[in-house]
Each structure stands twice: as structure tokens, then as C-alpha cells.
Amino acid sequence: MESAEIRDVVVLGSGPAGLTAAIYSARADLRPLVLEGEPSSSSDQPGGQLMLTTDVENFPGFAHGVLGPELMVSMRAQAERFGAEILTERASRVDLASTPMGIWIGDRDLPEPTLRARTLIIATGARSLMLGLENEARLLGHGVSTCATCDGFFFRDKRIVVIGGGDSALEEALFLTKFGDSVTVVHRRKELRASKIMQDRAFRNEKITFRWDSTVVDVLGDERLTGLRLRDVNTGEESEIVADGVFVAIGHAPSTELFAGQLETDEAGYLVSREGTKTNVPGVFACGDVQDHVYRQAVTAAGSGCMAAIDAERYLSSLAQT
Ligand code: NAP
């Protein structure tokens, strides 16, 4: 790629939102360039969160479900088929005030951007939240995980704990029953946030037990995880439980650091989009989980990716007419 090449459409992110935006803008002959992220980075998994799931049972068109990674590989191939160019890179800096906008890949301190874009579609998604405990970070990859699909296999016949009470936590717990001897869900309240269908499945599963009203105060183990110290939120009493694996599933945070000070965000840090997918900067559109903390589904992300591509196309047409 030549230095400061100008593209009509650059898409940041390659989950359902980014790839759907790429499919639509490629079919509109806009030759989109997708920066899909880097596999080594925890914050921008190419393919997005579906790469870390197993069965997706609610994406329309798949009567018998589809594996998350399979769906994403297929969306990527579909985007490429229509001429989207996909780079396994991440943007290190953006300048949304210049025209065309500047995008840096690699060294963010270089004076000139790597490429320029007339429109930018932001689909950088959201990532897993952590408890924020020192030993949690130290033992990540040594018994502590955020991805059952990736790591469940390592805990065959082991004692597993899942932290959280939402759909993610129960999905992880149910998946982990395929491997573990037991799965204990530790939740800070005594009511789950998860949907009724997931609750029913979890309550029916003999391997799953619940530890209610409990917060994690420490993650135990030297080289490898050995257990957790919990606190009962009602009595303040602390106790330890033995665990070989802990899966943290307490929600997500939007990946918006790149746009700090340039794009409007809400109080939770999600990008604000209005009139479809428009942000506060003309020519910049946001779609998928980076701007949605309400629905957060693959199908809604894909739908908003389609909207972003149409909004970008209309914006480019309006530029051409002026
Ligand atoms: P979520 O719905 O926000 O749930 C997060 C859970 O973690 C809550 O139970 C919360 O407790 C708990 N939590 C948050 N911070 C915590 C902390 N510091 N310590 C202990 N516990 C903490 O997130 P999610 O489960 O990732 O789901 C996100 C969205 O994706 C939801 O809309 C969900 O329906 C959807 N989703 C759907 C599926 C599916 O349909 N198969 C699968 C996964 C996710 P409180 O309840 O007390 O706040």
C-alpha cells in the first residue's frame, strides 16, 4: 500500500458489523479497506467476539445453528468476493479533523498518516471486562481465562468456576460442563441477569451449581490457579473455594480509546450515533457493539453495519454533488 493513499471507505473492525459494512460498501463499488485487527491483541480480535463463541443459534438463516468462527470466516469471504481489501492490521491513531481523514498503522508518532479516508466506518466492538484484581492478571493464561471456547479443553475433569450472572456467564458455564467435573457460577447477587431460556438450561444442568451473593476478593495460586477467596455480600464473611479454572464473564467495554477526544461517547464510553449511524464528525459512522450496549447481538451488529455502509455511500454521493 502506498503512503497516504486515499480511500473512499475504511472500515475499522471485522466482526459482524464491520464485515457487513464491507460487503455492502464493496457491492456499492467503493472498494472498502478493512483493518481487521491483530490476532495477538486482546482488544481487537479479528472476526470479533463470535470468534470466541461456539454455537450461534439465533442468527437468522441457520435453522440448525452455526459455529461463531464459521460464520465469521464466511462473512469475510463474502466481503472479499465483492472486492473488499482486508488487512490484518490495527489503526494506531486517527485524525478525524483533517480532510480526508488520516489513519496511522504501526508507528503512531509519524507525522504523516499511512492512509487517508473520505469516510470511516467504526466497528471496533467491545471486549471482555476483568475484575481488576492483581492476581487475576498474573494468573491469566494459568488457570484464569475469559474464553471458554478457547480454553475449556484444558479443564477436562477439573473444577471450574465461572464469574458473572449474565448470558455470557451461563453460556460459558453450559459450554464448560462438556469438559469440567463441576462448574460453579459465582454471582454477586441472588438473581441472574441472564435470559430465561439460559437460566432454565443452567438450572437443569446437574454439573452446574451457584454461589449467590458472593464477590471475588482474591485469585489464589502461585504458578497456577488453585482457587478463589470469596466474600459474602450480606455477612462480609470470607471463604475459599478450590478451582482449577476460572472464567471471568462479567460483561464488556467498548473499544473506543483510539477516538478519545475526537468522537462523542455516552457515560459508559460507547460511541454516540444519531440518525442511523452518524457520529458527531461528518463522514464518520459507527456500527455494532462499539455504539450499542442495549441489543449487542450479532444480527443487530450486522444490521447496523449495513446501515453504516449505506450512510457512507450517501455521504460520498453528497460530497460528489458539491
Ligand atoms: P451483562 O449482561 O452485562 O452481564 C454481566 C454480569 O456480570 C452481570 O450479572 C453482572 O452482575 C456481573 N458483573 C459485572 N461486573 C461485575 C464485577 N465487577 N464483579 C462481579 N460480577 C460482575 O454481560 P454479558 O453476559 O456479557 O451479556 C452482554 C449482552 O450480550 C447481553 O445483552 C446478553 O443478552 C448478550 N449475550 C447473549 C448471548 C446469547 O443469546 N446466547 C450470549 C452472550 C451474551 P449484575 O447482574 O449484578 O449487574
Side-chain angles (χ1 to χ4, degrees):
M1 186 172 49
E2 279 180 25
S3 173
E5 178 193 3
I6 300 175
R7 307 288 296 225
D8 277 330
V9 178
V10 171
V11 180
L12 303 183
S14 55
L19 290 179
T20 304
I23 292 166
Y24 272 76
S25 49
R27 284 176 55 81
D29 244 358
L30 296 171
R31 285 201 326 116
L33 174 70
V34 181
L35 302 186
E36 69 172 348
E38 285 173 343
S40 56
S41 164
S42 60
S43 62
D44 51 24
Q45 164 77 41
Q49 294 173 64
L50 283 191
M51 296 302 281
L52 309 177
T53 25
T54 46
D55 298 316
V56 178
E57 294 180 334
N58 50 13
F59 200 89
F62 296 90
H64 304 289
V66 59
L67 291 174
E70 210 172 280
L71 180 60
M72 297 323 298
V73 165
S74 178
M75 278 192 203
R76 193 181 191 280
Q78 193 177 356
E80 285 186 311
R81 179 180 153 216
F82 295 113
E85 191 183 337
I86 302 180
L87 295 183
T88 308
E89 301 275 8
R90 67 192 306 272
S92 54
R93 176 181 156 198
V94 293
D95 171 11
L96 307 182
S98 58
T99 310
M101 291 169 278
I103 297 161
W104 281 253
I105 297 171
D107 188 351
R108 65 190 312 279
D109 295 323
L110 289 177
E112 284 302 311
T114 319
L115 66 136
R116 290 190 178 275
R118 293 190 180 89
T119 66
L120 184 65
I121 296 179
I122 299 173
T124 46
R127 61 175 174 275
S128 300
L129 290 175
M130 302 298 289
L131 296 167
L133 299 168
E134 204 176 299
N135 287 330
E136 173 196 41
R138 185 174 59 78
L139 291 171
L140 192 64
H142 302 278
V144 177
S145 171
T146 58
C147 175
T149 318
C150 320
D151 301 329
F153 183 80
F154 301 117
F155 298 96
R156 198 171 283 285
D157 301 326
K158 304 280 191 204
R159 290 154 298 191
I160 298 173
V161 171
V162 174
I163 300 161
D167 278 326
S168 295
L170 296 196
E171 192 176 64
E172 299 275 86
L174 285 159
F175 178 72
L176 287 163
T177 58
K178 293 182 191 172
F179 303 100
D181 186 42
S182 65
V183 178
T184 306
V185 176
V186 173
H187 184 36
R188 63 184 178 182
R189 296 187 291 140
K190 51 173 176 296
E191 267 172 34
L192 294 168
R193 182 178 292 278
S195 55
K196 173 101 177 38
I197 187 169
M198 295 297 278
Q199 293 197 29
D200 289 346
R201 281 183 198 171
F203 290 141
R204 273 203 312 268
N205 194 304
E206 285 176 357
K207 280 194 182 175
I208 298 179
T209 54
F210 288 85
R211 186 80 178 249
W212 304 110
D213 286 332
S214 300
T215 55
V216 180
V217 289
D218 202 2
V219 176
L220 309 173
D222 295 328
E223 301 290 303
R224 280 200 66 79
L225 174 93
T226 55
L228 296 175
R229 181 184 296 281
L230 303 181
R231 181 181 293 141
D232 184 306
V233 297
N234 300 313
T235 63
E237 225 170 89
E238 292 194 2
S239 59
E240 289 184 8
I241 56 169
V242 177
D244 305 296
V246 166
F247 289 79
V248 183
I250 59 170
H252 301 90
S255 298
T256 53
E257 297 79 2
L258 200 56
F259 319 107
Q262 302 191 66
L263 289 180
E264 190 186 341
T265 54
D266 66 14
E267 65 288 344
Y270 288 79
L271 296 185
V272 173
S273 53
R274 295 192 178 88
E275 294 175 54
T277 62
K278 291 179 190 168
T279 67
N280 57 308
V281 174
V284 180
F285 306 93
C287 52
D289 285 11
V290 73
Q291 52 85 59
D292 169 26
H293 52 83
V294 178
Y295 302 105
R296 297 192 282 200
Q297 301 299 302
V299 66
T300 53
S304 69
C306 159
M307 290 160 64
I310 292 173
D311 289 342
E313 186 193 355
R314 289 183 180 158
Y315 175 82
L316 287 166
S317 305
S318 72
L319 285 186
Q321 283 160 16
T322 54

